[in-house]
Amino acid sequence: MKIGIYPGSFDPITLGHLDIIIRASKLVDHLVIGVLTNISKKTIFTVEERVQFLNWVIKENNLESKVKVESFNGLLVDFAKAQNASFIVRGLRAVTDFDYELQLAQTNHKLVPEIDTIFFTTRLEYSYLSSSTVREIASFGGDIKQFVPECIVQSVYDKYKAIGSV
Ligand code: ADP
């Protein structure tokens, strides 16, 4: 059985992430989305919220039989080993992603040679899209509907209302 891990902060999930999830899930028997809890950058959404958003999106896209969502802290390769994963899935948008992603993939391969990293290049329509863009627009009450899955739109706005930004 081929298991893939798609790790990230997903703060929040965007349509770019969803596109990678759908494409990667066709390549493996099971895809585990790993939501990072120990990232150095501070997230706007709690890990519970980020996991919940992902679960809503998985359900809405009928991916429940293939895709599950887990949070993790510590080393990615340890999480991948614990999940019996053969692959780590990452997305590449622009050349600016490349250096960081290459270093990460090579380091992970040194740590655990039996786990390989697979890169999906972004679809043209999502190449500009990042969670930080979504956060910026939402913080000013702008329209995020074309950037994130429909089922999370209201919760993203609610968060910014709750923190008093809009
Ligand atoms: P991280 O904090 O690990 O960068 P992100 O949630 O920002 O986590 O991204 C997780 C993965 O998804 C990364 O491999 C990133 O390159 C990829 N990704 C993010 N946005 C897009 C997009 N618009 N198209 C393709 N891949 C993307």
Side-chain angles (χ1 to χ4, degrees), residues 6-10 16-17 20 41 90-91 93 97 101 122 126 129:
Y6 180 33
S9 32
F10 305 102
H17 292 132
I20 302 288
K41 54 184 175 186
R90 296 287 287 174
R93 280 162 295 188
D97 281 340
E101 292 292 343
T122 180
Y126 302 130
L129 186 53

Side-chain angles (χ1 to χ4, degrees), residues 133-162:
T133 308
V134 170
R135 294 196 300 273
E136 173 105 13
I137 298 168
S139 72
F140 293 111
D143 186 1
I144 56 165
K145 284 194 206 73
Q146 52 190 319
F147 305 132
V148 300
E150 173 75 42
C151 60
I152 76 158
V153 169
Q154 194 51 50
S155 300
V156 173
Y157 286 135
D158 289 347
K159 181 75 176 188
Y160 281 93
K161 271 191 212 121

Side-chain angles (χ1 to χ4, degrees), residues 85-121:
S86 325
F87 301 108
I88 293 167
V89 170
R90 296 287 287 174
L92 282 177
R93 280 162 295 188
V95 70
T96 43
D97 281 340
F98 186 78
D99 276 353
Y100 173 71
E101 292 292 343
L102 183 69
Q103 189 183 22
L104 195 68
Q106 288 174 337
T107 307
N108 286 336
H109 192 254
K110 268 274 180 226
L111 290 172
V112 183
E114 59 273 21
I115 300 179
D116 230 320
T117 302
I118 298 178
F119 292 105
F120 284 84
T121 51

Side-chain angles (χ1 to χ4, degrees), residues 21-34:
I21 292 167
I22 292 171
R23 288 158 63 198
S25 68
K26 290 179 186 152
L27 207 78
V28 293
D29 298 305
H30 280 290
L31 185 70
V32 181
I33 303 175

Side-chain angles (χ1 to χ4, degrees), residues 14-121:
T14 68
L15 290 176
H17 292 132
L18 175 59
D19 178 55
I20 302 288
I21 292 167
I22 292 171
R23 288 158 63 198
S25 68
K26 290 179 186 152
L27 207 78
V28 293
D29 298 305
H30 280 290
L31 185 70
V32 181
I33 303 175
V35 181
L36 274 163
T37 61
N38 65 338
I39 43 178
S40 42
K41 54 184 175 186
K42 208 178 161 341
T43 58
I44 285 284
F45 298 92
T46 65
V47 67
E48 291 79 15
E49 288 166 335
R50 289 178 281 137
V51 166
Q52 184 175 53
F53 290 173
L54 280 155
N55 276 322
W56 288 343
V57 174
I58 297 314
K59 190 158 194 253
E60 190 179 59
N61 287 274
N62 296 318
L63 291 167
E64 290 153 300
S65 59
K66 282 213 107 172
V67 183
K68 72 171 178 171
V69 185
E70 301 275 346
S71 61
F72 76 101
N73 52 41
L75 278 181
L76 170 58
V77 286
D78 289 339
F79 175 65
K81 266 197 295 192
Q83 297 287 329
N84 289 317
S86 325
F87 301 108
I88 293 167
V89 170
R90 296 287 287 174
L92 282 177
R93 280 162 295 188
V95 70
T96 43
D97 281 340
F98 186 78
D99 276 353
Y100 173 71
E101 292 292 343
L102 183 69
Q103 189 183 22
L104 195 68
Q106 288 174 337
T107 307
N108 286 336
H109 192 254
K110 268 274 180 226
L111 290 172
V112 183
E114 59 273 21
I115 300 179
D116 230 320
T117 302
I118 298 178
F119 292 105
F120 284 84
T121 51

